[in-house]
Each structure stands twice: as C-alpha cells, then as structure tokens.
C-alpha cells in the first residue's frame, strides 16, 4: 500500500488541512496490523516524493500482488475538467505542479499487480472515474452467486477507484480527528468480514 496524507502546503493559497495526515496514518496502521499490508506512508509529500513512492511500488510488485493507494489532501480541477492531487509543493493555478489523475492511471496501467484499488479523499476526486453504479448487489446475491462473483474477480485483473465525492469540493473535517469519508472507510476496514472470505478463496 502507498498511503499519502497532506495537511500542510507551501503555497499560502492552500489552506492547512486538519485531518488528512491523521486519516492517512490511521489507514496505514490498520492496513498493516489487520490485513498484513507492506505499507509506505507519505505525510505532507512533495510531487517528487509521491510519484517516487508510486514508481518504487511499480518496480517492486509482481503479477500475483495487490496494491492499495490512499490519498488524502487538496484536490484541483482544470478548465478541461481534469482532476488532480495537490502535493505539498503544489502551486495555486499551476497544474504542472500537481499530480493528474491521468498520470496516476498511467502508472497503474503499467503495473503488473493483479488488483489495484485507489481510495481518494479530496475535492474533485470523482474525476478519477465516471462509473458510479455497483458491479454487484451483495444484498440480493445468494451464497453461490457471491462465491462465483468473488472467484471471477480474483482471477481477473482490476483497477478500481473509491472516491469521497464527485466533481465538487468535499469537507476536510468530520467526526473526531477524521474526515467523514475516512471515518467510514476505517469503519469498513475494521468491521469487514467478506474480505477475509475473498482472501481465503484466493488462497
């Protein structure tokens, strides 16, 4: 896993965030302790530091590996509707200093990893994907159909994005020390039982 949380920014045009670093630290700790992830945590990362972490993972992973990328911090959108992550050294009104969703997608496409999940808690993160309909409805699936769906997904290759909002700003703070999105994501990781079933089936 590559987990990034940016609270502070060099450019005064970007307000200091309250929860991004806390969110990232909590996600990284939970992924490591409960799910056994080899986790790289980047706090208040520059453009170079974030891209280096992703590229290092690209060189490290093999075809049988899975990857989770988590980003919490400022997000931007340009006049063409393209979304970006803003690194700690990103400059206001300077897209060249940001990290585009397209650049992240290009890195993921060249990774040999079987399954990659990108979790983005930032403004305009919905530009990472235009698909919002679930592939399945777990509530209406019987055990046999669920098992079949899991096996087909595990045996395939996937690139999936889970985002905190659409093409709009999202709140930084929520309940306690975490954003609303991060709190829900952490709760899902803590309470989840089905992922354990998926891992058992894969093995």
């Amino acid at each position: 896993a590559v987990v990034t949380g940016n609270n502070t920014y060099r450019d005064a045009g970007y307000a200091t965030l309250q929860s991004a670093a806390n969110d990232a630290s909590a996600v990284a700790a939970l992924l490591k302790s409960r799910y056994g992830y080899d986790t790289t945590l980047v706090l208040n990362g520059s453009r170079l530091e974030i891209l280096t972490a992703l590229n290092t993972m690209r060189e490290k992973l093999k075809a049988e590996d899975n990857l989770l990328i988590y980003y919490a911090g400022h997000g931007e959108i340009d006049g063409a509707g393209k979304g970006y992550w803003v690194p700690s050294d990103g400059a206001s009104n300077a897209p060249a200093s940001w990290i585009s969703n397209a650049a992240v997608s290009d890195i993921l496409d060249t990774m040999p990893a079987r399954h990659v999940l990108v979790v983005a808690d930032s403004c305009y993160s919905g530009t990472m994907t235009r698909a919002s309909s679930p592939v399945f409805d777990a509530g209406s699936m019987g055990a046999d159909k669920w098992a079949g769906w899991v096996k087909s997904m595990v045996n395939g290759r996937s690139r999936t994005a889970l985002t905190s909002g659409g093409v709009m700003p999202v709140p930084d703070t929520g309940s306690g020390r975490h954003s609303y999105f991060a709190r829900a994501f952490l709760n899902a990781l803590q309470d989840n039982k089905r992922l354990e079933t998926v891992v058992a089936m894969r093995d």
Side-chain angles (χ1 to χ4, degrees):
V2 176
V3 182
T4 301
N6 286 349
N7 272 1
T8 60
Y9 289 80
R10 299 178 191 174
D11 191 320
Y14 291 111
T16 298
L17 299 177
Q18 302 302 313
S19 65
N22 290 336
D23 297 343
S25 297
V27 168
L30 188 55
L31 288 175
K32 184 176 182 179
S33 65
R34 184 161 193 246
Y35 294 94
Y37 271 76
D38 178 5
T39 304
T40 299
L41 177 62
V42 181
L43 297 179
N44 301 312
S46 66
R47 188 175 191 276
L48 178 61
E49 288 171 331
I50 295 171
L51 290 176
T52 296
L54 293 175
N55 278 307
T56 298
M57 199 62 70
R58 174 171 58 180
E59 295 171 356
K60 179 180 180 180
L61 294 180
K62 297 179 174 59
E64 64 270 20
D65 293 326
N66 299 318
L67 172 67
L68 188 150
I69 298 170
Y70 183 94
Y71 172 76
H74 279 300
E76 286 278 14
I77 191 170
D78 65 15
K82 295 179 180 179
Y84 298 81
W85 296 349
V86 182
S88 63
D89 57 351
S92 300
N93 302 313
S97 69
W98 309 333
I99 300 173
S100 71
N101 291 342
V104 175
S105 295
D106 287 344
I107 293 173
L108 301 187
D109 286 342
T110 60
M111 282 185 176
R114 179 177 294 175
H115 300 299
V116 179
L117 172 62
V118 179
V119 181
D121 187 5
S122 66
C123 298
Y124 312 112
S125 56
T127 59
M128 293 202 75
T129 175
R130 297 299 183 184
S132 59
S133 299
V135 177
F136 65 96
D137 180 0
S140 64
M141 275 189 176
D144 291 342
K145 287 185 177 180
W146 168 253
W149 183 86
V150 167
K151 288 179 180 178
S152 67
M153 291 302 294
V154 167
N155 291 330
R157 186 171 182 268
S158 67
R159 300 293 184 267
T160 308
L162 175 65
T163 65
S164 60
V167 188
M168 63 190 72
V170 295
D172 168 40
T173 56
S175 176
R177 301 172 64 242
H178 300 296
S179 73
Y180 292 111
F181 177 83
R183 181 71 270 167
F185 185 61
L186 288 165
N187 287 345
L189 290 178
Q190 289 168 337
D191 299 339
N192 183 38
K193 300 298 183 183
R194 290 202 168 197
L195 186 56
E196 293 174 0
T197 302
V198 171
V199 172
M201 287 181 174
R202 182 188 64 199
D203 293 339

